[in-house]
Amino acid sequence: GPSFYDFQLFDKERLDGLVELERSLNAKKDESLATIKELRSKTAPGTVDPPGQGPTERRALADQMEQDLHTFDIGPENRALKERLLAEGFPDWSRKDYRSFIASLERHGRYNLDEILKDMKKETAKEVDEVKRYYVAFWTYYQRITEWKKVIERIEKGEKKFFQLRQIRDAVQEKVERHLEDTFGEYYWETKEGKKRSKDMPSATELLLYSWPKMRINYGGSKGNWSYQEEEDAFLVCMMHRHGYGAAERIRMEIRRAWQFRFNWYFKSRNTQEIQKRCDTLVRMIERENEEVRKKEAAQLKPSAAAAAAVAAAK
């Protein structure tokens, strides 16, 4: 039978069973045809046929065996089943296609189908419908892959990293929004909600570009690496908001281009690893600050809720 790879998602166990059945029946059919040929051949000169095994009897037996040849066919049901099982798989998918698919799942998570489709279009030139069909088949039949447990572990590890990055992005976004609200107040919320009073008014992104030097960092009594100034840390937060967490090389280039640091040789000379390490420290500070702000807001809401309950009870 044809040779398939496990990542092509064929039901190899059932297909192999059908192929083996077909092979066995064909072997028996070949044996029967050989016997029929022998029965129809002329008896060699000088031979004496045993009683009841003369030419007439042999011819009758050969005719009966010919009529029974159809029993060596796998039958319409098995043939239809084989065609359906072959249609389930993806014989055109190479190992490179499969690796690209798994890598995309690791990067974006199993639920971000749009990004997976984009990756596959760019890396393999597969059509969208074909990738969608493989996506559904993979999550239905992934246990057909020999090392499926390792594959799922890799995907889950990538998803965990993806969700951590999303949490960091949300934490930085919360910090930036709080800074813009404290700096620009009501105007920021009007801008955020699309209620800009004039087309000449700056957007929220532009507001951050103008105001990041005023951003305050809550060091919580421990500034960490005292070699960094608050203005430098505020710039790093701004750049994480613009380029995303982990984009240390882009942030390094932004530092070198920023006119505010043209004479700041210490900051400009930091390498990618040092910048990323400082960003990690800032993220932890921001997450702690966000948690403190939420606790404070929750504490302020409790008296209001209690007062409302008392008024309701009095009525």
Side-chain angles (χ1 to χ4, degrees):
S3 177
F4 300 124
Y5 296 105
D6 55 358
F7 60 81
Q8 293 172 330
L9 302 178
F10 289 100
D11 189 344
K12 291 190 68 177
E13 185 176 347
R14 297 178 73 186
L15 271 174
D16 288 346
L18 287 172
V19 169
E20 184 57 36
L21 173 63
E22 198 169 18
R23 185 183 293 115
S24 174
L25 289 172
N26 285 335
K28 291 180 179 179
K29 184 177 181 179
D30 290 341
E31 289 178 6
S32 186
L33 287 170
T35 303
I36 292 170
K37 184 178 179 181
E38 183 181 348
L39 289 171
R40 291 196 184 282
S41 64
K42 293 181 179 180
T43 305
T47 58
V48 179
D49 296 321
Q53 296 185 19
T56 302
E57 290 81 7
R58 289 200 300 272
R59 191 161 43 249
L61 179 57
D63 290 343
Q64 183 60 51
M65 292 180 69
E66 279 187 342
Q67 292 177 14
D68 294 340
L69 285 176
H70 70 277
T71 61
F72 299 113
D73 187 80
I74 63 171
E77 290 185 4
N78 282 332
R79 193 176 295 108
L81 175 60
K82 183 180 178 183
E83 290 176 0
R84 181 173 65 78
L85 292 175
L86 288 172
E88 276 184 2
F90 297 83
D92 295 335
W93 277 60
S94 66
R95 192 169 295 277
K96 177 181 178 296
D97 299 332
Y98 169 69
R99 286 174 176 167
S100 296
F101 179 78
I102 297 301
S104 187
L105 284 174
E106 290 181 60
R107 277 194 299 272
H108 306 296
R110 72 190 73 185
Y111 302 112
N112 199 342
L113 180 57
D114 289 341
E115 291 300 320
I116 294 169
L117 292 174
K118 289 178 186 176
D119 281 357
M120 295 300 290
K121 181 75 173 178
K122 181 172 61 177
E123 295 178 20
T124 68
K126 292 285 186 187
E127 294 297 328
V128 169
D129 291 341
E130 174 75 2
V131 178
K132 284 183 178 179
R133 195 168 77 87
Y134 189 86
Y135 175 87
V136 173
F138 176 82
W139 288 112
T140 306
Y141 303 120
Y142 63 84
Q143 291 188 6
R144 292 176 180 175
I145 297 171
T146 305
E147 297 187 346
W148 66 268
K149 289 184 179 179
K150 290 184 179 180
V151 173
I152 297 302
E153 283 177 7
R154 282 173 51 198
I155 293 171
E156 290 176 346
K157 185 178 179 181
E159 286 178 330
K160 184 177 180 182
K161 181 179 179 181
F162 174 78
F163 290 127
Q164 286 175 340
L165 290 174
R166 178 180 289 179
Q167 289 176 332
I168 291 172
R169 181 197 66 192
D170 291 345
V172 172
Q173 178 70 23
E174 186 177 340
K175 169 66 177 176
V176 167
E177 287 187 354
R178 189 163 55 247
H179 159 70
L180 293 177
E181 183 181 6
D182 292 344
T183 305
F184 299 100
E186 182 181 349
Y187 172 73
Y188 165 63
W189 287 107
E190 290 180 351
T191 301
K192 184 182 179 184
E193 295 171 7
K195 301 177 181 177
K196 290 165 56 173
R197 289 163 289 187
S198 168
K199 65 180 181 180
D200 297 326
M201 292 286 188
S203 65
T205 302
E206 292 169 329
L207 289 176
L208 180 60
L209 185 63
Y210 300 148
S211 68
W212 66 262
K214 297 181 180 179
M215 183 183 290
R216 302 276 73 87
I217 305 297
N218 184 354
Y219 293 103
S222 175
K223 191 176 179 181
N225 189 338
W226 288 91
S227 300
Y228 289 89
Q229 303 302 312
E230 188 171 33
E231 184 185 33
E232 297 163 354
D233 285 340
F235 185 78
L236 291 176
V237 173
C238 177
M239 290 300 103
M240 279 195 286
H241 180 264
R242 175 184 294 182
H243 297 297
Y245 174 81
E249 178 58 25
R250 290 185 183 181
I251 295 175
R252 187 182 73 84
M253 296 305 297
E254 292 279 11
I255 293 171
R256 295 178 69 85
R257 286 193 291 262
W259 63 267
Q260 294 91 339
F261 306 112
R262 62 189 181 278
F263 300 126
N264 188 336
W265 301 111
Y266 175 81
F267 197 36
K268 289 175 68 173
S269 64
R270 297 306 89 194
N271 61 37
T272 303
Q273 289 75 21
E274 291 168 329
I275 291 170
Q276 185 59 53
K277 185 177 180 181
R278 186 57 183 172
C279 286
D280 292 340
T281 301
L282 288 171
V283 166
R284 290 193 292 271
M285 291 179 184
I286 290 170
E287 289 174 336
R288 184 171 62 245
E289 178 185 343
N290 291 345
E291 184 63 27
E292 290 173 358
V293 170
R294 283 192 287 269
K295 286 181 179 178
K296 190 178 295 184
E297 290 175 348
Q300 291 172 348
L301 287 174
K302 283 184 180 179
S304 301
V311 170
K315 291 181 179 180

